[in-house]
Amino acid sequence: MNHSLPPLPYAKDALQPFLSEEAVEIHYEKHHRGYVTKLNAALEDQDQYQSMSLEELIRAVPVNGGLFNNAAQIWNHTFFWQCMAPADSRKAGPEGALKQAIEEQHGSTEKLLEGFVSAATAQFGSGWAWLVKTASGEIKIVTTGNAETPVTGDDTPLLVCDVWEHAYYVNYRNDRPGFLKEFTNYINWEFVEANFG
Ligand code: MN3
């Protein structure tokens, strides 16, 4: 199967001032597209993987190998873009069952997001910070290194933020915490609620 780059869910300038058009352009057109190009090239002589969906491929290949890295980075980035929304289509916070679960388990959305920012700041080197739902319904903050993703495990991803330096360097230079704090104001809570189920 030839994998394709999913369209961005909004215009490249829609996340300003959090992310400039240039930052989204580079991240999407160079990094995200680059993983798609590399994966398709690497799959050309790998007949056993060609009929697999992206998720099937991520689960089938060795973690941290070349196929895994490109496939997982495609999946993680596609999920990441959906986790943010422009101001005119963004809710202030979670509602309904998600809100209730967050308050029961973490006290408040603010406290959960503080923990998320701390964990994401502390992730050493390149990686991702996630909110996931465990099989027992627990909302957890987890971080993964490099391309690693909850897709290989049993947790359901709810939210992710890219903490590779390429995600924030254009607008925030080395200020990862500053990037993360702004990220929390641009969360697409409707998407997170839908993932929570
Ligand atoms: Mn990235």
Side-chain angles (χ1 to χ4, degrees):
M1 182 190 292
N2 225 24
H3 296 275
S4 56
L5 178 69
L8 273 180
Y10 33 71
K12 286 172 187 159
D13 61 359
L15 300 179
Q16 297 186 96
F18 165 48
L19 294 174
S20 67
E21 183 172 3
E22 183 195 17
V24 174
E25 167 83 20
I26 292 172
H27 199 170
Y28 176 73
E29 296 290 354
K30 303 293 183 195
H31 293 276
H32 196 177
R33 186 182 296 282
Y35 297 121
V36 175
T37 305
K38 282 184 219 151
L39 179 65
N40 286 333
L43 285 174
E44 265 173 27
D45 53 359
Q46 302 271 353
D47 289 346
Q48 73 272 35
Y49 296 130
Q50 282 179 0
S51 62
M52 290 183 182
S53 71
L54 191 61
E55 294 191 11
E56 287 168 342
L57 180 64
I58 290 168
R59 293 192 190 103
V61 296
V63 171
N64 293 324
L67 288 175
F68 175 87
N69 286 341
N70 286 298
Q73 284 294 81
I74 297 168
W75 195 96
N76 292 350
H77 279 89
T78 301
F79 194 79
F80 171 61
W81 297 122
Q82 293 175 274
C83 286
M84 299 172 286
D88 59 5
S89 58
R90 199 168 66 218
K91 299 203 288 190
E95 292 168 9
L98 176 63
K99 182 176 196 235
Q100 194 183 336
I102 289 172
E103 288 176 355
E104 278 170 14
Q105 297 176 25
H106 296 274
S108 67
T109 303
E110 265 172 33
K111 277 189 75 180
L112 176 66
L113 291 177
E114 271 172 33
F116 179 84
V117 168
S118 299
T121 301
Q123 164 63 30
F124 183 76
S126 296
W128 300 84
W130 307 83
L131 292 182
V132 299
K133 184 174 84 167
T134 67
S136 60
E138 200 188 337
I139 297 170
K140 278 176 43 178
I141 300 163
V142 297
T143 60
T144 58
N146 298 316
E148 287 181 40
T149 175
V151 172
T152 53
D154 296 327
D155 295 341
T156 303
L158 304 177
L159 173 77
V160 75
C161 187
D162 189 340
V163 296
W164 285 57
E165 202 173 64
H166 71 230
Y168 52 88
Y169 204 81
V170 173
N171 296 131
Y172 298 84
R173 296 301 184 227
N174 60 335
D175 182 14
R176 189 193 282 184
F179 161 73
L180 287 162
K181 273 203 123 145
E182 270 307 300
F183 171 81
T184 63
N185 296 322
Y186 281 73
I187 292 172
N188 181 354
W189 286 108
E190 244 170 279
F191 180 68
V192 182
E193 285 168 10
N195 295 330
F196 184 72

